[in-house]
């Protein structure tokens, strides 16, 4: 099916009727970028970086466990290391804290010392018995005790027992005294039966309770998604009452304080110095009272004009609950997204570690040791890899948003719900992969363009903290805040653009423009949904965390094996909030998609034959009630008042 002509002056929305590929150039760009990410991984593996990372290499450029090539200018390079699979450090305590490197000479050995070696004779005997030479390659084991360079080319005595790290083949001492120097405070804190020791004991003793409470948080989140549409109306009116009472009460208190301080000043009951302070307080209270009055009046006016739109928020919550009944697999979207993100993060970290050992062997003239460094254009691969982390991460999140939008759009614009696809979630995924990956790539790239400079400025601000003047610090902080706000606004617009693409199969820019115009036309409704709706969902999160915490306190109170259970309770509360946030964020996305569908439906349909509404019964009742009360008179997109609607072809 061919794509529509983008030059049309007026384009009718035809939900789900036409499908075409969108933003193909951006899909090509993203594909090429992803191929570049794969090439970086392939380069690291092809140049031996992967084997050097896993097997390790010595200070002369030899990779342990394999045959090596000669490095020009390095005498001890190019050695046969097939039987020497472990990296041994002569002085593991010689650590460069600034560059986070071990400055000690590293050798490839066939076995790590399992017992303490106190003398050079012990080193000799260990080498003769096990074939593992712990001194430099150019020293014979028989000459260890008397060699002139034994102090610089042999390990520092005594050699502590060590064991190889799983997978990475490095000999790490089991108990090294120098490590205690860096962790002395922590060791002392734990060793004397401190609070931390009791807290850790509490976590270990209550692991079954923690798992049970986490499961409870999961169940409560699922229940909340079903129940919230029934209690949303109550929560909305409670919120309204609290806001009105709080704003009026706060303003009244400020005026009362102003009058009280003004009378005290007029009565001249204070000293000369006290009069100055009292006068300043009176002026400040007057300013605060006037500001609070203006704020309260504006707030009450906004709430007065928005009171009719709150009913739409409640109706959308009601319909969102029905969406999850018809599309129960929507609740699993956070799990699949988290799994994809975890797999990508593991891959990204692995490649980053590969790049740390990639490059050309370079001899350090000062130390005579070999280091692997990337030169020329290759050194920018790390930056390319870092951009890939942000872009692909945002791409995965955007794919979830497009999938949710596609599934909800299918539900909304299918008149007969019995004719919906058997697997609407999988159908939405397949439709996204087939038609709209370019749109997802473009939307995620726009977020990346904003996020990268924000992260850079945040890093600069943290590095220069305490060094720059106050003006520079404020400017940096202001730039970071502005970019953060821009990122949030773009993320919200992107989400609505994905919904518009799912509805009408248009490109990202066209969808973003259409979505923006519709949101502007319904600004008060958007404000109601984004304030009242978000606050209701926030209350839901607080309720889940509170119930889980209460159950945790009630359960942990009967444990007598330990006295400190603050950490287990914090772990449970944190998990409960994360779970509630994941589930209710999906609920929020569904509400936003439903609103845009509703706005498009009421803009381009009027309920007449041939232009029947798609909306479910709950939203139709809202429109009917609004029209009866004279609150709702939208037009059909041509400036004509909408005709009385009919229920033809619309099912709940």
């Amino acid at each position: 099916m061919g794509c529509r002509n983008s030059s049309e002056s007026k384009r009718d929305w035809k939900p789900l009727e036409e499908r075409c590929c969108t933003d193909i150039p951006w899909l090509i760009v993203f594909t090429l970028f992803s191929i570049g990410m794969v090439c970086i991984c392939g380069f690291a593996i092809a140049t031996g970086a992967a084997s050097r990372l896993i097997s390790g290499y010595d200070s002369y450029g030899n990779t342990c466990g394999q045959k090596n090539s000669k490095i020009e200018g390095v005498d001890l390079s190019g050695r046969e290391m097939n039987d020497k699979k472990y990296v041994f450090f002569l002085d593991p305590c010689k650590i460069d804290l600034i560059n986070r490197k071990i400055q000690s000479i590293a050798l490839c050995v066939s076995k790590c010392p399992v017992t303490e070696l106190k003398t050079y004779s012990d080193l000799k005997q260990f080498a003769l018995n096990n074939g593992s030479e712990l001194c430099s390659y150019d020293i014979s084991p028989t000459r260890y005790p008397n060699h002139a360079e034994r102090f610089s080319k042999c390990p520092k005595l005594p050699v502590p027992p060590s064991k190889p790290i799983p997978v990475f083949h490095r000999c790490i001492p089991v108990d090294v005294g120098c490590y205690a120097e860096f962790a002395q405070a922590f060791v002392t804190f734990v060793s004397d039966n401190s609070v931390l020791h009791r807290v850790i004991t509490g976590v270990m003793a209550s692991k079954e309770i923690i798992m049970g409470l986490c499961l409870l948080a999961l169940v409560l989140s699922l229940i909340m998604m079903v129940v919230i549409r029934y209690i949303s109306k109550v929560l909305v009116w409670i919120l309204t009452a609290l806001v009105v009472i709080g704003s009026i009460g706060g303003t009244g208190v400020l005026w009362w304080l102003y009058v009280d301080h003004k009378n005290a000043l007029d009565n001249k009951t204070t000293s000369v110095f006290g009069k100055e302070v009292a006068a300043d307080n009176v002026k400040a209270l007057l300013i605060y009272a006037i500001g609070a009055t203006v704020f309260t009046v504006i707030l009450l006016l906004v709430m007065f004009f928005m009171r009719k739109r709150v009913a739409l928020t409640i109706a959308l919550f009601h319909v969102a609950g029905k969406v999850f009944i018809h599309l129960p697999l929507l609740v699993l979207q956070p799990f699949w997204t988290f799994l994809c993100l975890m797999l990508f993060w593991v891959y990204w970290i692995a490649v980053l570690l590969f790049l740390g050992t990639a490059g050309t062997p370079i001899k350090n003239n000062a130390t005579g040791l070999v280091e692997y460094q990337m030169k020329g254009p290759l050194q920018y691969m790390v930056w390319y890899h870092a951009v890939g982390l942000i872009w692909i991460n945002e791409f995965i999140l955007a794919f979830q948003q497009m999938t949710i939008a596609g599934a909800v759009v299918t539900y909304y614009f299918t008149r007969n719900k019995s004719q919906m696809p058997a697997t609407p979630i999988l159908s939405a995924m397949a439709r996204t992969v087939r038609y709209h990956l370019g749109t997802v790539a473009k939307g995620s790239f726009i977020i990346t363009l904003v996020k990268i400079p924000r992260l850079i400025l945040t890093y600069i601000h943290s590095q220069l903290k305490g060094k720059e003047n106050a003006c520079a610090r404020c400017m940096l902080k202001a730039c970071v805040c502005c970019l953060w706000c821009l990122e949030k606004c773009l993320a919200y617009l992107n989400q609505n653009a994905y919904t518009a693409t799912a509805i009408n199969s248009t490109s990202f820019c066209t969808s973003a423009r259409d979505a923006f115009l519709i949101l502007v036309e319904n600004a008060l409704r958007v404000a109601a949904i984004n304030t009242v709706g978000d606050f209701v969902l926030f209350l839901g999160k607080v309720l889940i965390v509170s119930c889980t915490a209460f159950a945790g306190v009630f359960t942990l109170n009967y444990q007598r094996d330990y006295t400190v259970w603050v950490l287990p309770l914090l772990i449970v509360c944190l998990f409960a909030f994360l779970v509630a946030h994941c589930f209710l964020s999906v609920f929020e996305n569904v509400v936003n998609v439903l609103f845009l569908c509703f706005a498009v439906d009421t803009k381009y349909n009027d309920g007449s034959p041939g232009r029947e509404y798609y909306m479910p019964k709950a939203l139709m009742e809202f429109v009917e009630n609004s029209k009866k009360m004279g609150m709702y008179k939208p037009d059909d997109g041509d400036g004509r008042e909408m005709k009385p609607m009919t229920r033809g072809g619309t099912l709940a």
Side-chain angles (χ1 to χ4, degrees), residues 222-284:
L222 294 173
I223 296 175
M224 179 59 66
M225 294 182 66
V226 179
V227 175
I228 197 169
R229 67 189 179 103
Y230 297 109
I231 66 173
S232 58
K233 186 173 184 178
V234 177
L235 290 177
V236 166
W237 292 120
I238 291 176
L239 168 64
T240 304
L242 290 176
V243 170
V244 171
I245 294 173
S247 58
I248 295 177
T251 304
V253 169
L254 285 174
W255 280 112
W256 176 78
L257 289 174
Y258 165 74
V259 172
D260 183 64
H261 282 69
K262 185 71 167 57
N263 292 334
L265 181 63
D266 294 339
N267 293 334
K268 301 179 181 180
T269 58
T270 57
S271 61
V272 176
F273 178 75
K275 288 182 179 180
E276 296 179 358
V277 177
D280 293 337
N281 289 337
V282 169
K283 293 179 181 179

Side-chain angles (χ1 to χ4, degrees), residues 189-206 561-568:
F189 188 58
V190 176
S191 61
D192 61 353
N193 194 26
S194 62
V195 175
L196 179 61
H197 184 270
R198 299 197 301 273
V199 168
I200 295 175
T201 303
V203 173
M204 296 305 296
S206 61
D561 297 335
Y562 51 90
T563 58
V564 179
W565 39 264
V566 175
L567 185 58

Side-chain angles (χ1 to χ4, degrees), residues 109-169:
V109 298
S110 57
K111 185 178 180 180
C112 301
V114 295
T115 58
E116 185 179 40
L117 306 178
K118 299 181 180 180
T119 64
Y120 292 104
S121 297
D122 294 338
L123 294 178
K124 170 185 174 182
Q125 196 64 34
F126 178 80
L128 296 176
N129 293 339
N130 300 284
S132 185
E133 302 175 2
L134 303 184
C135 292
S136 181
Y137 305 137
D138 56 351
I139 303 178
S140 172
T142 57
R143 302 178 58 191
Y144 284 177
N146 302 315
H147 197 276
E149 296 180 297
R150 63 184 182 275
F151 300 107
S152 59
K153 294 188 176 182
C154 288
K156 182 179 179 181
L157 297 179
V159 179
S162 59
K163 60 181 180 180
I165 301 177
V167 181
F168 291 102
H169 301 90

